[in-house]
Amino acid sequence: MFLNNCSGCHSVATTLISRKAPDGWESFIHDHRVNTGMNDADAKTLTDYVIANFNTNVPDFDIPPQLLAGEVITPF
């Protein structure tokens, strides 16, 4: 769902570094739905997911600088 709706405008790194309170995520996804054509069920699933995994209590991930810079990282 993320790849279909969010990564057209945001890199994965953008989401990995984002932290919002539940009401912040609800507002953010509500505002962005217009641009994605996301249906109600997908919006709820995505909202629930980001609230659970990218809230203000979740510690920061160790993200490689190349990913933050938008570079593609390959394992080989």
Side-chain angles (χ1 to χ4, degrees):
M1 180 182 324
F2 169 78
L3 293 175
N4 292 336
N5 292 297
C6 305
S7 64
C9 297
H10 304 285
S11 73
V12 172
T14 300
T15 301
L16 292 175
I17 62 174
S18 297
R19 298 290 185 272
K20 297 182 188 327
D23 59 337
W25 279 121
E26 289 167 355
S27 175
F28 182 85
I29 292 180
H30 179 272
D31 292 346
H32 282 72
R33 282 186 64 191
V34 173
N35 297 325
T36 65
M38 195 182 322
N39 65 41
D40 290 343
D42 285 349
K44 173 147 180 35
T45 299
L46 183 58
T47 301
D48 292 346
Y49 179 80
V50 293
I51 286 172
N53 294 285
F54 299 96
N55 61 67
T56 55
N57 296 320
V58 175
D60 290 338
F61 297 105
D62 185 19
I63 303 169
Q66 300 93 328
L67 186 59
L68 290 172
E71 297 175 24
V72 175
I73 300 172
T74 58
F76 45 88

